[in-house]
Coordinates of all heavy atoms in Angstrom, one line a residue:
V233 N -1.5 -15.4 -3.0 CA -1.3 -13.9 -2.9 C -1.5 -13.4 -1.5 O -2.5 -13.8 -0.8 CB -2.4 -13.2 -3.8 CG1 -2.3 -11.8 -3.7 CG2 -2.1 -13.7 -5.3
M234 N -0.5 -12.6 -1.0 CA -0.7 -12.1 0.3 C -1.3 -10.7 0.3 O -1.1 -10.0 -0.6 CB 0.7 -12.0 0.9 CG 1.3 -13.4 1.2 SD 2.6 -13.3 2.4 CE 4.0 -12.7 1.3
P235 N -2.1 -10.5 1.3 CA -2.8 -9.2 1.4 C -1.7 -8.1 1.6 O -0.7 -8.3 2.1 CB -3.7 -9.3 2.5 CG -3.2 -10.4 3.4 CD -2.4 -11.3 2.5
I236 N -2.1 -6.8 1.3 CA -1.2 -5.7 1.4 C -1.8 -4.8 2.5 O -3.0 -4.5 2.6 CB -1.1 -4.9 0.2 CG1 -0.5 -5.8 -0.9 CG2 -0.4 -3.6 0.3 CD1 -0.5 -5.2 -2.3
Y237 N -1.0 -4.5 3.5 CA -1.4 -3.6 4.6 C -0.7 -2.3 4.4 O 0.4 -2.2 4.0 CB -1.1 -4.3 5.9 CG -1.8 -5.6 6.1 CD1 -1.1 -6.8 5.7 CD2 -3.1 -5.7 6.6 CE1 -1.7 -8.0 6.0 CE2 -3.7 -6.9 6.7 CZ -3.0 -8.1 6.4 OH -3.6 -9.3 6.5
D238 N -1.4 -1.3 5.0 CA -0.7 0.0 5.2 C -0.2 0.1 6.7 O -0.8 -0.3 7.6 CB -1.8 1.2 5.0 CG -2.0 1.5 3.6 OD1 -1.3 0.9 2.7 OD2 -3.0 2.2 3.3
Y239 N 1.0 0.6 6.7 CA 1.6 0.8 8.0 C 2.0 2.3 8.1 O 2.3 3.0 7.2 CB 2.9 0.0 8.2 CG 2.5 -1.4 8.7 CD1 2.2 -2.4 7.7 CD2 2.6 -1.7 10.0 CE1 1.9 -3.7 8.2 CE2 2.2 -3.0 10.4 CZ 1.9 -4.0 9.5 OH 1.5 -5.2 10.0
K240 N 1.9 2.8 9.3 CA 2.2 4.2 9.6 C 3.3 4.3 10.7 O 3.2 3.6 11.7 CB 0.9 5.0 10.0 CG 1.3 6.5 10.1 CD -0.1 7.3 10.2 CE 0.3 8.8 10.2 NZ -0.9 9.6 10.2
C241 N 4.2 5.3 10.5 CA 5.3 5.5 11.4 C 4.9 6.7 12.3 O 4.5 7.7 11.9 CB 6.5 5.9 10.6 SG 7.9 6.3 11.7
R242 N 5.0 6.4 13.7 CA 4.8 7.4 14.6 C 5.9 8.5 14.7 O 5.6 9.6 15.1 CB 4.5 6.8 16.0 CG 3.2 6.1 16.1 CD 2.9 5.8 17.6 NE 1.7 5.0 17.8 CZ 1.7 3.7 17.8 NH1 2.8 3.0 17.7 NH2 0.5 3.0 18.0
E243 N 7.0 8.1 14.3 CA 8.1 9.1 14.3 C 8.0 10.1 13.2 O 8.1 11.3 13.5 CB 9.4 8.3 14.1 CG 9.8 7.5 15.3 CD 10.2 8.3 16.6 OE1 10.8 9.4 16.4 OE2 9.9 7.8 17.6
C244 N 7.9 9.7 12.0 CA 8.0 10.6 10.9 C 6.6 10.7 10.1 O 6.5 11.6 9.2 CB 9.1 10.3 9.9 SG 8.7 8.8 9.0
G245 N 5.7 9.9 10.4 CA 4.3 10.1 9.8 C 4.3 9.3 8.5 O 3.2 9.4 7.8
N246 N 5.4 8.7 8.0 CA 5.4 7.9 6.8 C 4.3 6.8 6.8 O 4.1 6.2 7.8 CB 6.8 7.4 6.6 CG 6.9 6.6 5.3 OD1 6.4 7.1 4.3 ND2 7.6 5.5 5.3
I247 N 3.6 6.7 5.6 CA 2.7 5.6 5.5 C 3.2 4.8 4.3 O 3.5 5.4 3.2 CB 1.3 6.1 5.2 CG1 0.8 6.9 6.4 CG2 0.3 5.0 4.9 CD1 -0.5 7.7 6.0
W248 N 3.3 3.5 4.4 CA 3.7 2.7 3.3 C 3.0 1.4 3.3 O 2.4 1.0 4.3 CB 5.3 2.5 3.3 CG 5.8 1.6 4.4 CD1 6.2 0.3 4.2 CD2 6.0 1.9 5.8 NE1 6.6 -0.2 5.4 CE2 6.5 0.7 6.4 CE3 5.7 3.0 6.6 CZ2 6.7 0.7 7.8 CZ3 5.9 3.0 8.0 CH2 6.4 1.8 8.5
E249 N 3.2 0.6 2.2 CA 2.5 -0.7 2.1 C 3.4 -1.8 2.4 O 4.6 -1.8 2.0 CB 2.0 -0.8 0.7 CG 0.9 0.1 0.3 CD 0.4 -0.1 -1.2 OE1 1.1 -0.7 -1.9 OE2 -0.6 0.4 -1.5
V250 N 2.9 -2.8 3.0 CA 3.6 -4.0 3.3 C 2.8 -5.2 3.0 O 1.6 -5.3 3.3 CB 4.0 -4.1 4.9 CG1 4.8 -5.4 5.1 CG2 4.8 -2.9 5.3
E251 N 3.4 -6.2 2.3 CA 2.7 -7.3 1.9 C 3.1 -8.5 2.9 O 4.3 -8.8 2.9 CB 3.1 -7.7 0.4 CG 2.2 -8.7 -0.3 CD 2.5 -8.8 -1.7 OE1 2.9 -7.8 -2.3 OE2 2.5 -10.0 -2.2
H252 N 2.2 -9.0 3.6 CA 2.5 -10.1 4.5 C 1.3 -11.0 4.7 O 0.2 -10.5 4.5 CB 3.2 -9.7 5.8 CG 2.3 -8.9 6.7 ND1 1.3 -9.3 7.3 CD2 2.5 -7.5 7.1 CE1 0.7 -8.4 8.1 NE2 1.4 -7.3 7.9
S253 N 1.6 -12.1 5.2 CA 0.5 -13.1 5.5 C -0.5 -12.6 6.5 O -0.2 -11.9 7.4 CB 1.1 -14.4 5.9 OG 0.1 -15.2 6.5
I254 N -1.7 -13.0 6.3 CA -2.8 -12.6 7.3 C -2.6 -13.2 8.6 O -3.0 -12.6 9.7 CB -4.2 -13.0 6.7 CG1 -5.2 -12.2 7.4 CG2 -4.3 -14.5 6.8 CD1 -6.6 -12.3 6.7
S255 N -1.7 -14.2 8.8 CA -1.4 -14.8 10.0 C -0.4 -14.1 10.9 O -0.3 -14.3 12.1 CB -0.9 -16.3 9.8 OG 0.3 -16.2 9.2
V256 N 0.2 -13.1 10.2 CA 1.2 -12.2 11.0 C 0.4 -11.3 11.8 O -0.4 -10.5 11.2 CB 2.1 -11.5 10.1 CG1 2.9 -10.5 10.9 CG2 3.0 -12.4 9.4
D257 N 0.5 -11.4 13.1 CA -0.2 -10.5 14.1 C 0.6 -9.2 14.3 O 0.0 -8.1 14.4 CB -0.6 -11.3 15.3 CG -1.5 -10.5 16.2 OD1 -2.6 -10.0 15.6 OD2 -1.3 -10.4 17.4
D258 N 1.8 -9.3 14.6 CA 2.6 -8.2 14.9 C 3.9 -8.3 14.0 O 4.8 -9.0 14.2 CB 3.1 -8.4 16.4 CG 3.9 -7.1 16.9 OD1 4.4 -6.4 16.0 OD2 3.9 -6.8 18.1
A259 N 3.8 -7.4 13.0 CA 4.8 -7.4 11.9 C 6.1 -7.0 12.4 O 7.2 -7.3 12.0 CB 4.4 -6.6 10.7
V260 N 6.1 -6.1 13.5 CA 7.3 -5.6 14.0 C 8.1 -6.7 14.7 O 9.3 -6.9 14.5 CB 7.0 -4.4 15.0 CG1 8.3 -3.9 15.7 CG2 6.3 -3.2 14.3
E261 N 7.3 -7.5 15.5 CA 7.9 -8.5 16.3 C 8.3 -9.7 15.3 O 9.4 -10.3 15.4 CB 7.1 -8.9 17.4 CG 7.7 -9.6 18.6 CD 6.9 -9.5 19.8 OE1 6.8 -8.4 20.4 OE2 6.3 -10.6 20.1
E262 N 7.3 -10.1 14.5 CA 7.5 -11.3 13.7 C 8.4 -11.2 12.5 O 9.0 -12.1 12.0 CB 6.2 -11.9 13.3 CG 5.3 -12.3 14.6 CD 3.9 -12.7 14.2 OE1 3.7 -13.5 13.2 OE2 3.0 -12.3 14.9
L263 N 8.3 -10.0 11.9 CA 9.1 -9.8 10.6 C 10.2 -8.8 10.8 O 10.9 -8.5 9.8 CB 8.1 -9.3 9.5 CG 6.9 -10.1 9.2 CD1 5.9 -9.4 8.2 CD2 7.2 -11.5 8.8
G264 N 10.3 -8.2 11.9 CA 11.3 -7.1 12.0 C 11.0 -5.9 11.2 O 11.9 -5.2 10.8
L265 N 9.7 -5.7 11.1 CA 9.3 -4.5 10.2 C 9.7 -3.2 10.8 O 9.6 -3.0 12.0 CB 7.8 -4.6 10.0 CG 7.3 -3.6 8.9 CD1 7.7 -4.0 7.5 CD2 5.8 -3.6 9.0
K266 N 10.2 -2.3 10.0 CA 10.5 -0.9 10.4 C 10.2 0.1 9.3 O 10.1 -0.3 8.2 CB 11.9 -0.8 11.0 CG 13.0 -1.2 9.9 CD 14.3 -1.2 10.6 CE 15.4 -1.7 9.6 NZ 16.7 -1.8 10.1
C267 N 10.2 1.3 9.8 CA 9.8 2.4 8.8 C 11.0 2.5 7.8 O 12.1 2.6 8.2 CB 9.7 3.7 9.6 SG 9.4 5.1 8.5
P268 N 10.6 2.5 6.5 CA 11.6 2.5 5.4 C 12.3 4.0 5.3 O 13.3 4.1 4.7 CB 10.9 2.2 4.1 CG 9.5 2.4 4.4 CD 9.3 2.3 5.9
E269 N 11.6 4.9 5.9 CA 12.1 6.3 5.9 C 13.1 6.6 7.0 O 14.2 7.1 6.8 CB 10.9 7.3 6.0 CG 10.0 7.3 4.8 CD 10.8 7.9 3.5 OE1 11.5 8.8 3.7 OE2 10.5 7.4 2.4
C270 N 12.7 6.3 8.2 CA 13.6 6.6 9.3 C 14.0 5.4 10.1 O 14.9 5.7 11.1 CB 12.8 7.7 10.3 SG 11.5 6.9 11.2
G271 N 13.6 4.3 9.8 CA 14.1 3.1 10.5 C 13.5 2.8 11.8 O 13.8 2.0 12.6
S272 N 12.5 3.7 12.3 CA 11.8 3.5 13.5 C 11.0 2.2 13.5 O 10.4 1.9 12.5 CB 11.0 4.7 13.9 OG 10.2 4.5 15.0
Q273 N 10.9 1.6 14.7 CA 9.9 0.5 14.8 C 8.7 0.9 15.6 O 7.9 0.1 16.0 CB 10.6 -0.7 15.4 CG 11.6 -1.4 14.5 CD 12.0 -2.8 14.8 OE1 12.3 -3.1 16.0 NE2 11.9 -3.7 13.9
D274 N 8.5 2.2 15.8 CA 7.4 2.7 16.5 C 6.3 2.9 15.4 O 6.0 4.0 15.0 CB 7.6 4.1 17.2 CG 6.5 4.5 18.1 OD1 5.5 3.7 18.2 OD2 6.6 5.6 18.6
I275 N 5.8 1.8 14.9 CA 4.8 1.8 13.8 C 3.6 1.0 14.1 O 3.6 0.2 15.1 CB 5.5 1.2 12.5 CG1 6.0 -0.3 12.8 CG2 6.7 2.0 12.1 CD1 6.5 -0.9 11.6
F276 N 2.5 1.2 13.4 CA 1.3 0.5 13.6 C 0.6 0.3 12.3 O 0.8 1.0 11.3 CB 0.4 1.2 14.6 CG -0.1 2.6 14.2 CD1 -1.3 2.8 13.6 CD2 0.8 3.7 14.3 CE1 -1.7 4.0 13.2 CE2 0.4 5.0 13.9 CZ -0.9 5.1 13.3
K277 N -0.3 -0.7 12.3 CA -1.1 -1.0 11.1 C -2.1 0.1 10.9 O -2.9 0.5 11.8 CB -1.8 -2.4 11.3 CG -2.2 -3.0 10.0 CD -2.9 -4.3 10.2 CE -1.9 -5.5 10.3 NZ -2.5 -6.8 10.5
Y278 N -2.0 0.7 9.8 CA -2.9 1.9 9.6 C -4.1 1.5 8.8 O -4.0 1.1 7.6 CB -2.0 3.0 8.8 CG -2.7 4.3 8.6 CD1 -3.0 5.1 9.6 CD2 -2.9 4.7 7.2 CE1 -3.6 6.3 9.4 CE2 -3.5 5.9 7.0 CZ -3.9 6.7 8.1 OH -4.5 7.9 7.8
L279 N -5.3 1.7 9.4 CA -6.5 1.2 8.7 C -7.3 2.3 8.0 O -8.2 2.0 7.3 CB -7.4 0.6 9.8 CG -6.7 -0.6 10.5 CD1 -7.6 -1.1 11.7 CD2 -6.4 -1.8 9.5
G280 N -6.8 3.6 8.2 CA -7.5 4.6 7.6 C -7.2 4.8 6.1 O -6.2 4.2 5.7
K281 N -8.0 5.5 5.5 CA -7.7 5.8 4.0 C -6.8 7.0 4.0 O -7.2 8.0 4.4 CB -9.0 6.0 3.3 CG -9.9 4.8 3.1 CD -9.4 3.9 2.0 CE -10.2 2.6 1.8 NZ -9.4 1.5 1.3
R282 N -5.7 6.8 3.2 CA -4.8 8.0 3.1 C -5.5 9.0 2.0 O -5.5 10.1 2.2 CB -3.4 7.6 2.8 CG -3.3 6.6 1.8 CD -1.9 6.2 1.5 NE -1.8 4.8 1.1 CZ -0.7 4.2 0.8 NH1 0.4 4.9 0.7 NH2 -0.6 3.0 0.4
K283 N -5.8 8.4 1.0 CA -6.3 9.2 -0.2 C -7.3 8.3 -0.9 O -7.0 7.1 -1.1 CB -5.3 9.7 -1.1 CG -4.7 10.9 -0.7 CD -3.3 11.2 -1.4 CE -2.6 12.4 -0.7 NZ -1.2 12.2 -0.4
S284 N -8.4 8.8 -1.3 CA -9.3 8.0 -2.1 C -8.8 7.9 -3.5 O -8.5 8.8 -4.2 CB -10.7 8.6 -2.0 OG -10.8 9.8 -2.6
L285 N -8.8 6.6 -3.9 CA -8.4 6.4 -5.3 C -9.6 6.3 -6.2 O -10.5 5.6 -5.9 CB -7.5 5.1 -5.4 CG -6.2 5.1 -4.7 CD1 -5.5 3.7 -4.8 CD2 -5.3 6.2 -5.1
T286 N -9.6 7.1 -7.2 CA -10.8 7.0 -8.1 C -10.6 5.8 -9.1 O -9.6 5.7 -9.8 CB -10.8 8.4 -8.9 OG1 -10.8 9.4 -8.1 CG2 -12.1 8.3 -9.7
V287 N -11.5 5.0 -9.1 CA -11.4 3.8 -9.8 C -12.7 3.7 -10.7 O -13.8 3.9 -10.3 CB -11.4 2.5 -8.9 CG1 -11.4 1.2 -9.8 CG2 -10.2 2.5 -8.0
K288 N -12.4 3.5 -12.0 CA -13.6 3.4 -13.0 C -13.4 2.0 -13.7 O -12.3 1.6 -13.9 CB -13.5 4.5 -14.0 CG -13.7 5.9 -13.5 CD -13.5 6.9 -14.5 CE -13.5 8.3 -14.0 NZ -13.0 9.2 -14.9
F289 N -14.6 1.4 -13.9 CA -14.6 0.2 -14.7 C -14.8 0.4 -16.2 O -15.8 1.0 -16.5 CB -15.6 -0.8 -14.1 CG -15.5 -2.2 -14.7 CD1 -14.4 -2.9 -14.4 CD2 -16.5 -2.6 -15.5 CE1 -14.4 -4.3 -14.8 CE2 -16.4 -4.0 -16.0 CZ -15.3 -4.8 -15.7
I290 N -13.8 0.1 -17.0 CA -14.0 0.4 -18.4 C -13.7 -0.9 -19.1 O -12.6 -1.4 -19.1 CB -12.9 1.5 -18.8 CG1 -13.1 2.9 -18.1 CG2 -13.0 1.7 -20.3 CD1 -12.0 3.8 -18.4
G291 N -14.7 -1.3 -19.8 CA -14.5 -2.5 -20.6 C -14.2 -3.7 -19.8 O -14.8 -4.0 -18.8
T292 N -13.0 -4.3 -20.2 CA -12.6 -5.5 -19.5 C -11.7 -5.3 -18.4 O -11.2 -6.2 -17.7 CB -12.0 -6.5 -20.5 OG1 -11.0 -5.9 -21.2 CG2 -13.1 -7.0 -21.5
G293 N -11.2 -4.0 -18.2 CA -10.2 -3.9 -17.2 C -10.4 -2.7 -16.3 O -11.4 -1.9 -16.5
W294 N -9.6 -2.6 -15.2 CA -9.8 -1.6 -14.3 C -9.0 -0.4 -14.7 O -7.9 -0.5 -15.2 CB -9.3 -2.0 -12.8 CG -10.2 -2.9 -12.2 CD1 -10.2 -4.3 -12.2 CD2 -11.4 -2.6 -11.5 NE1 -11.3 -4.8 -11.5 CE2 -12.0 -3.8 -11.1 CE3 -12.1 -1.4 -11.2 CZ2 -13.2 -3.8 -10.3 CZ3 -13.3 -1.4 -10.5 CH2 -13.8 -2.7 -10.1
Y295 N -9.5 0.7 -14.5 CA -8.7 2.0 -14.7 C -8.6 2.7 -13.4 O -9.5 2.9 -12.7 CB -9.4 2.9 -15.7 CG -8.9 4.2 -15.8 CD1 -7.7 4.5 -16.6 CD2 -9.5 5.3 -15.2 CE1 -7.2 5.7 -16.6 CE2 -8.9 6.6 -15.2 CZ -7.8 6.8 -16.0 OH -7.3 8.1 -16.0
I296 N -7.3 3.1 -13.1 CA -7.1 3.8 -11.8 C -6.7 5.2 -12.2 O -5.9 5.4 -13.1 CB -6.2 3.0 -11.0 CG1 -6.0 3.8 -9.6 CG2 -4.8 2.9 -11.6 CD1 -5.6 2.9 -8.5
N297 N -7.3 6.1 -11.5 CA -6.9 7.5 -11.6 C -5.4 7.8 -11.4 O -4.9 7.6 -10.2 CB -7.8 8.4 -10.7 CG -7.6 9.8 -10.9 OD1 -6.5 10.3 -11.1 ND2 -8.7 10.6 -10.8
D298 N -4.7 8.1 -12.4 CA -3.3 8.3 -12.3 C -2.8 9.4 -11.3 O -1.9 9.3 -10.6 CB -2.7 8.7 -13.6 CG -2.0 7.5 -14.3 OD1 -2.1 6.4 -13.7 OD2 -1.4 7.6 -15.4
S299 N -3.6 10.5 -11.2 CA -3.3 11.6 -10.4 C -3.4 11.2 -9.0 O -2.7 11.7 -8.1 CB -4.2 12.8 -10.7 OG -5.5 12.5 -10.5
A300 N -4.3 10.2 -8.6 CA -4.4 9.7 -7.3 C -3.2 9.0 -6.9 O -2.7 9.1 -5.7 CB -5.7 8.9 -7.2
L301 N -2.7 8.2 -7.8 CA -1.4 7.4 -7.5 C -0.3 8.3 -7.4 O 0.6 8.1 -6.5 CB -1.3 6.3 -8.6 CG -2.2 5.1 -8.6 CD1 -1.9 4.2 -9.7 CD2 -2.1 4.4 -7.3
E302 N -0.3 9.3 -8.3 CA 0.8 10.3 -8.2 C 0.8 11.0 -6.8 O 1.9 11.1 -6.2 CB 0.7 11.3 -9.3 CG 1.9 12.2 -9.4 CD 1.8 13.1 -10.7 OE1 0.6 13.3 -11.2 OE2 2.8 13.7 -11.0
A303 N -0.4 11.4 -6.5 CA -0.5 12.1 -5.1 C -0.1 11.2 -4.0 O 0.5 11.6 -3.0 CB -1.9 12.5 -4.9
A304 N -0.3 9.8 -4.2 CA 0.2 8.9 -3.1 C 1.7 8.6 -3.2 O 2.2 7.9 -2.5 CB -0.7 7.6 -3.3
G305 N 2.4 9.2 -4.2 CA 3.8 9.1 -4.2 C 4.3 8.0 -5.1 O 5.5 7.7 -5.0
M306 N 3.5 7.4 -5.9 CA 4.0 6.3 -6.8 C 4.5 6.9 -8.1 O 4.0 7.7 -8.7 CB 2.8 5.5 -7.2 CG 3.2 4.2 -7.9 SD 1.8 3.1 -8.2 CE 1.5 2.4 -6.6
P307 N 5.8 6.5 -8.4 CA 6.5 7.0 -9.6 C 5.7 6.6 -10.9 O 5.0 5.6 -10.9 CB 7.8 6.3 -9.6 CG 7.9 5.6 -8.3 CD 6.6 5.5 -7.7
E308 N 5.9 7.4 -11.9 CA 5.1 7.3 -13.1 C 5.4 5.9 -13.7 O 4.4 5.2 -14.2 CB 5.5 8.4 -14.1 CG 4.5 8.3 -15.3 CD 4.8 9.4 -16.3 OE1 5.7 10.3 -16.0 OE2 4.2 9.5 -17.3
A309 N 6.6 5.4 -13.8 CA 6.9 4.2 -14.4 C 6.2 3.1 -13.7 O 5.7 2.1 -14.3 CB 8.4 3.9 -14.4
T310 N 6.1 3.2 -12.3 CA 5.4 2.1 -11.6 C 3.9 2.2 -11.8 O 3.2 1.2 -11.9 CB 5.7 2.3 -10.1 OG1 7.1 2.5 -9.9 CG2 5.2 1.2 -9.2
R311 N 3.4 3.4 -11.8 CA 1.9 3.6 -12.1 C 1.5 3.0 -13.3 O 0.4 2.4 -13.4 CB 1.6 5.1 -12.1 CG 1.7 5.9 -10.8 CD 0.8 7.1 -10.8 NE 1.1 8.0 -11.9 CZ 2.0 8.9 -12.0 NH1 2.9 9.1 -11.0 NH2 2.1 9.8 -13.0
N312 N 2.3 3.2 -14.4 CA 1.9 2.7 -15.7 C 2.2 1.2 -15.9 O 1.8 0.7 -17.0 CB 2.7 3.5 -16.8 CG 2.2 4.9 -16.8 OD1 1.0 5.2 -16.4 ND2 3.0 5.9 -17.2
S313 N 2.8 0.6 -15.0 CA 3.1 -0.8 -15.2 C 1.8 -1.7 -15.1 O 1.1 -1.5 -14.1 CB 4.2 -1.3 -14.2 OG 3.7 -2.4 -13.5
P314 N 1.6 -2.5 -16.0 CA 0.4 -3.4 -15.9 C 0.4 -4.3 -14.7 O -0.6 -4.6 -14.0 CB 0.5 -4.4 -17.1 CG 1.6 -3.7 -18.0 CD 2.4 -2.8 -17.1
E315 N 1.7 -4.6 -14.2 CA 1.8 -5.4 -13.0 C 1.2 -4.7 -11.8 O 0.5 -5.3 -10.9 CB 3.3 -5.8 -12.7 CG 3.9 -6.9 -13.5 CD 3.0 -8.2 -13.2 OE1 2.7 -8.5 -12.1 OE2 2.6 -8.8 -14.3
T316 N 1.5 -3.4 -11.7 CA 0.9 -2.6 -10.6 C -0.6 -2.6 -10.6 O -1.2 -2.8 -9.6 CB 1.4 -1.2 -10.7 OG1 2.8 -1.1 -10.6 CG2 0.9 -0.3 -9.5
K317 N -1.1 -2.4 -11.8 CA -2.6 -2.3 -11.9 C -3.3 -3.6 -11.5 O -4.2 -3.7 -10.8 CB -3.0 -1.8 -13.3 CG -2.7 -0.3 -13.4 CD -2.8 0.2 -14.7 CE -2.4 1.7 -14.7 NZ -2.4 2.3 -15.9
K318 N -2.6 -4.7 -12.0 CA -3.1 -6.1 -11.7 C -3.0 -6.3 -10.2 O -4.0 -6.8 -9.6 CB -2.2 -7.1 -12.4 CG -2.9 -8.4 -12.7 CD -2.1 -9.1 -13.8 CE -0.8 -9.7 -13.3 NZ -0.1 -10.4 -14.4
R319 N -1.9 -5.9 -9.6 CA -1.7 -6.2 -8.1 C -2.7 -5.4 -7.3 O -3.2 -5.8 -6.3 CB -0.3 -5.8 -7.8 CG 0.1 -5.9 -6.4 CD 1.7 -5.9 -6.2 NE 2.0 -5.6 -4.9 CZ 2.4 -4.4 -4.4 NH1 2.4 -3.4 -5.3 NH2 2.7 -4.2 -3.2
L320 N -2.9 -4.2 -7.7 CA -3.8 -3.2 -6.9 C -5.2 -3.9 -6.9 O -5.9 -3.6 -5.9 CB -3.9 -1.8 -7.6 CG -2.7 -1.0 -7.2 CD1 -2.7 0.3 -8.1 CD2 -2.7 -0.5 -5.8
F321 N -5.7 -4.6 -7.9 CA -7.1 -4.9 -7.9 C -7.3 -6.4 -7.8 O -8.4 -6.8 -8.1 CB -7.7 -4.3 -9.2 CG -7.7 -2.8 -9.1 CD1 -6.8 -2.1 -9.9 CD2 -8.4 -2.2 -8.2 CE1 -6.8 -0.7 -9.8 CE2 -8.3 -0.8 -8.1 CZ -7.5 0.0 -8.9
R322 N -6.2 -7.2 -7.6 CA -6.4 -8.6 -7.4 C -7.2 -8.7 -6.0 O -7.0 -7.9 -5.2 CB -5.1 -9.3 -7.4 CG -5.3 -10.7 -7.8 CD -4.1 -11.3 -8.5 NE -2.8 -10.8 -7.8 CZ -1.6 -10.9 -8.3 NH1 -1.5 -11.5 -9.4 NH2 -0.6 -10.5 -7.6
D323 N -7.9 -9.8 -5.9 CA -8.7 -10.1 -4.7 C -9.9 -9.1 -4.7 O -10.1 -8.4 -3.7 CB -7.9 -10.0 -3.4 CG -6.8 -10.9 -3.3 OD1 -6.9 -12.0 -4.0 OD2 -5.8 -10.5 -2.8
Ligands
LIG523 ZN1 9.5 6.9 10.0

């Protein structure tokens, strides 16, 4: 499983997630990464928290606050997918 990083675009301010190996030092150079919104390569690894996701532990599984994911721009179908929830909390 590869870690997921947040990247931010200096051109348009877009923040998005990129899954790549921890050994990748410069994703722009090594992977040709660019902003999915505007195509700019003036991007950097964004380490700040964009929004705090409310997470509660219920029974045997993780529950993630849907409104937090919605605010982060994730479509409902994706939010409700078990795959998404599994991916978010693995590792
Ligand atoms: Zn952009």
Side-chain angles (χ1 to χ4, degrees):
V233 174
M234 293 199 282
I236 297 170
Y237 300 96
D238 280 348
Y239 278 84
K240 184 168 184 176
C241 173
R242 286 191 184 91
E243 288 292 325
C244 70
N246 182 38
I247 301 170
W248 73 102
E249 290 178 347
V250 182
E251 196 174 322
H252 65 66
S253 164
I254 197 166
S255 67
V256 172
D257 189 47
D258 186 337
V260 176
E261 207 161 281
E262 295 175 43
L263 306 175
L265 190 67
K266 58 188 176 184
C267 174
E269 290 292 324
C270 70
S272 170
Q273 289 199 310
D274 191 4
I275 60 179
F276 62 99
K277 202 179 276 183
Y278 184 64
L279 300 173
K281 289 279 177 211
R282 42 183 152 172
K283 273 161 189 136
S284 59
L285 297 180
T286 307
V287 177
K288 296 173 189 168
F289 190 69
I290 299 174
T292 55
W294 287 98
Y295 169 78
I296 184 156
N297 185 322
D298 259 5
S299 60
L301 287 179
E302 186 175 19
M306 188 178 282
E308 188 175 356
T310 311
R311 289 203 308 275
N312 291 334
S313 126
E315 277 305 310
T316 299
K317 286 170 185 173
K318 210 161 67 183
R319 180 164 159 262
L320 280 168
F321 297 110
R322 206 151 40 189
D323 303 329

